[in-house]
Amino acid sequence: MSEYIEPIERLADMFRRLEGVGKKSAFRMAFSVLELSEEDARDFADAIISAKTDIKLCTCCQNITVGDMCEICSSSKRDRSVICVVEDSRAVAAVEKSGVYGGLYHVLHGAISPMHGIGPDKLKIKELLSRLSDGEVREVIVATNPTVEGEATAMYISKLITPLGVEVTRIANGVPVGGDLEYADEVTLRRAIEGRRAI
Amino acid sequence: MSEYIEPIERLADMFRRLEGVGKKSAFRMAFSVLELSEEDARDFADAIISAKTDIKLCTCCQNITVGDMCEICSSSKRDRSVICVVEDSRAVAAVEKSGVYGGLYHVLHGAISPMHGIGPDKLKIKELLSRLSDGEVREVIVATNPTVEGEATAMYISKLITPLGVEVTRIANGVPVGGDLEYADEVTLRRAIEGRRAI
């Protein structure tokens, strides 16, 4: 039996399809929509439609963009000899925010995960390889997430790219800055010690 | 500076206007919308518009409804001599789910909160009083939330209604069933002891 009237149930159902939204939050948000002005509700609906229709994938790096090529790929200021490979657009934003990186990106749109039926063919790996064919790129930094899936993807990519004569590197594991050693897990600590550097 | 392209920022902005949605969740949901099919995105947009346009307030109890009068108010099976006063539609759903109540409801759409500029005139109190004029109602159960605002609202309503010769009651405070006394706060425990009953 449905708890609420149909338009609320229907709207909550839509919210539940979004990542990380449970039943309670879905209903809370559906009721929140009722508090919006008519105009804001229309703007919200428009924003959903336009996000779906206006956003494309950059023909080069596969990051989301509104034109054909994203701002980073189109920029003349970026170092075109390095590509940082990430799982999604949010990772691009995170690395950009750090301000430490001036090269290009490649967005895989996921990580290899046999458990979820995601094989390498579902990722933008082919597109990455084709970017390496002209010899301009000398290093690929694999910045997939430090998870089982991210590590497997990094290994897979490394095996494909190394034979092409392009250097493949992986971002470092270690204790996060500002963190407390007491709360670091064993694997992270082991990696931090293995990756120690002279000071 | 915006971290993402405009359609994502715009969509995340809309998500942030919903109750309890922070920046991270707003972006997570905005990116999730990109994963929906075109059709689902259109359905989502439609659901927002229809929630705003199809949902009205019941002319009697002020609960949300799609017709003029809600199902509960229109039902011939409900006890029309009792009205349970709640803050919002979600509270109606919660009481209905308990299955313990067979009377009518009245939804105030908030609680008195001078801090947030919500006076009694912003709530559906006038509409409640007009329901008591024909003498059919003999009890009003005030089931506003057990918060400062909810208690103040309960007191305010009680002072208005008692002179009309209608009995006003308040739902009990006490330790929640399945809870642990160790974790109950002092006020709740005091109320639980004050409200003790013979077994």
Side-chain angles (χ1 to χ4, degrees), chain A residues 3 19 40 43 45 55 57 78 96 114 125 150 161 168 173 185:
Chain A
E3 280 175 55
E19 191 192 322
D40 282 349
D43 282 350
I55 294 177
L57 298 187
R78 310 290 302 211
E96 281 297 286
I125 292 177
I161 295 179
V168 183
N173 286 132
D185 63 285

Side-chain angles (χ1 to χ4, degrees), chain A residues 53-131:
Chain A
T53 52
D54 298 349
I55 294 177
K56 298 182 187 98
L57 298 187
C58 170
T59 50
C60 180
C61 75
Q62 311 296 323
N63 193 6
I64 54 167
T65 173
V66 277
D68 278 340
M69 202 178 262
C70 76
E71 275 184 39
I72 294 172
C73 286
S74 327
S75 165
S76 59
K77 289 178 188 155
R78 310 290 302 211
D79 177 356
R80 312 192 80 80
S81 69
V82 198
I83 293 179
C84 176
V85 176
V86 292
E87 291 184 24
D88 53 39
S89 300
R90 278 172 282 182
V92 172
V95 177
E96 281 297 286
K97 221 165 146 183
S98 77
V100 80
Y101 181 69
L104 303 178
Y105 291 92
H106 192 84
V107 181
L108 296 173
H109 292 275
I112 297 170
S113 173
M115 289 260 292
H116 299 92
I118 302 171
D121 50 306
K122 294 250 174 89
L123 308 177
K124 306 286 185 186
I125 292 177
K126 219 167 49 245
E127 290 80 355
L128 172 61
L129 295 178
S130 80
R131 290 177 70 184

Side-chain angles (χ1 to χ4, degrees), chain A residues 126-183:
Chain A
K126 219 167 49 245
E127 290 80 355
L128 172 61
L129 295 178
S130 80
R131 290 177 70 184
L132 306 176
S133 57
D134 63 0
E136 202 181 358
V137 177
R138 54 163 185 78
E139 181 180 355
V140 168
I141 303 171
V142 186
T144 50
N145 293 330
T147 57
V148 173
E149 291 82 9
E151 296 295 348
T153 311
M155 287 305 294
Y156 182 86
I157 288 175
S158 154
K159 277 185 183 151
L160 281 178
I161 295 179
T162 310
L164 306 177
V166 176
E167 192 185 5
V168 183
T169 57
R170 180 90 176 100
I171 53 165
N173 286 132
V175 283
V177 178
D180 191 320
L181 250 65
E182 190 185 346
Y183 300 114

Side-chain angles (χ1 to χ4, degrees), chain B residues 99-149:
Chain B
V100 79
Y101 180 69
L104 302 179
Y105 291 92
H106 192 83
V107 181
L108 296 173
H109 292 276
I112 297 171
S113 174
M115 291 259 292
H116 299 93
I118 303 172
D121 50 307
K122 294 251 174 86
L123 308 177
K124 305 286 186 187
I125 291 177
K126 219 168 50 247
E127 290 81 354
L128 172 61
L129 294 178
S130 79
R131 292 177 67 184
L132 306 177
S133 57
D134 62 0
E136 201 181 359
V137 177
R138 53 162 186 79
E139 180 179 356
V140 168
I141 302 172
V142 186
T144 51
N145 293 330
T147 58
V148 174
E149 292 81 9

Side-chain angles (χ1 to χ4, degrees), chain A residues 3-4 10 14 17 19 28 31-34 36 40-41 44 46 48 50-52 64 90 93 97, chain B residues 3-4 10 14 17 19 28 31-34 36 40-41 44 46 48 50-52 64 90 93 97:
Chain A
E3 280 175 55
Y4 296 103
R10 188 181 149 209
M14 291 309 311
R17 299 211 195 165
E19 191 192 322
R28 195 189 59 229
F31 276 103
S32 268
V33 167
L34 300 185
L36 296 177
D40 282 349
F44 194 178
D46 281 350
I48 288 170
S50 93
K52 272 305 285 183
I64 54 167
R90 278 172 282 182
K97 221 165 146 183
Chain B
E3 279 173 57
Y4 296 104
R10 189 181 149 209
M14 291 309 311
R17 300 211 194 166
E19 192 192 321
R28 194 190 59 229
F31 276 102
S32 267
V33 167
L34 301 184
L36 296 177
D40 283 349
F44 194 177
D46 281 349
I48 287 170
S50 91
K52 271 306 284 183
I64 54 167
R90 278 171 283 181
K97 222 166 147 181

